[in-house]
Amino acid sequence: WKEKVSHNLIRPTSVIKRWSFFGGTAYVNTWAPGGVATIKARDFEAYLRVMPHAEYVSGSSCLFEGVKDYVNGYLSEIGLSTSTFPIAFPPFAEGSSAIEPGLVPSSPVMLSYPDVATMATAGSESRLDGGMHFEQSVSAGQVLCSGIGTQAVAGVADLLA
């Protein structure tokens, strides 16, 4: 939060809504119930809620990085390979969306990753795909939290020794 308060940068969704302030009426092609539509930029709303605090740095990408380091550090600590630890989530059933129930997804969706690092990368990139962050914010969050999970594993190992 210290970094968010320090930088206090605007989110992508807020930039889109303000395009019209630069002269004239701006339009955006976006997802709307039933498919893609062209709407006035000032009327744009993100598909998922975008939090009303500063954009930079991405706290989510920071958390993904910390979890990745922690899980990989723990796996290494107990002698397991970090590259052969697949992650699979329960499937999202057809029509199970809270935003568009009965419509989305149109078929079951299964998220699975070959390892924790791949899952963390996908989670961080989801912040870009969802319009919550700009690219620099995601990479800065990863850098900011790199090593935190590794330090946590080392601290727990010291306590247990």
Side-chain angles (χ1 to χ4, degrees), residues 47-71:
Y47 190 73
L48 295 175
R49 181 173 183 232
V50 176
M51 300 307 290
H53 52 255
E55 184 269 343
Y56 188 92
V57 301
S58 169
S60 295
S61 69
C62 176
L63 291 171
F64 282 118
E65 186 71 17
V67 167
K68 176 197 76 171
D69 287 350
Y70 183 83
V71 171

Side-chain angles (χ1 to χ4, degrees), residues 1 3-4 56-70 120 123-125 127 133 137-149:
W1 286 106
E3 293 300 316
K4 284 186 174 290
Y56 188 92
V57 301
S58 169
S60 295
S61 69
C62 176
L63 291 171
F64 282 118
E65 186 71 17
V67 167
K68 176 197 76 171
D69 287 350
Y70 183 83
S124 292
E125 289 176 357
R127 314 318 289 164
H133 292 291
S137 180
V138 170
S139 58
Q142 292 166 326
V143 169
L144 180 66
C145 289
S146 180
I148 287 177

Side-chain angles (χ1 to χ4, degrees), residues 2-21:
K2 176 184 150 207
E3 293 300 316
K4 284 186 174 290
V5 171
S6 172
H7 295 284
N8 196 28
L9 296 178
I10 193 168
R11 289 187 180 268
T13 51
S14 299
V15 170
I16 292 169
K17 289 176 84 72
R18 287 167 177 76
W19 280 345
S20 297
F21 294 141

Side-chain angles (χ1 to χ4, degrees), residues 29-105:
N29 293 325
T30 187
W31 177 260
V36 176
T38 301
I39 64 170
K40 291 180 181 177
R42 71 171 183 246
D43 297 331
F44 176 78
E45 292 295 335
Y47 190 73
L48 295 175
R49 181 173 183 232
V50 176
M51 300 307 290
H53 52 255
E55 184 269 343
Y56 188 92
V57 301
S58 169
S60 295
S61 69
C62 176
L63 291 171
F64 282 118
E65 186 71 17
V67 167
K68 176 197 76 171
D69 287 350
Y70 183 83
V71 171
N72 284 344
Y74 178 72
L75 291 173
S76 295
E77 183 76 22
I78 62 172
L80 295 176
S81 170
T82 60
S83 63
T84 57
F85 191 78
I87 304 292
F89 293 92
F92 295 92
E94 180 179 329
S96 63
S97 168
I99 307 296
E100 294 184 83
L103 298 174
V104 177

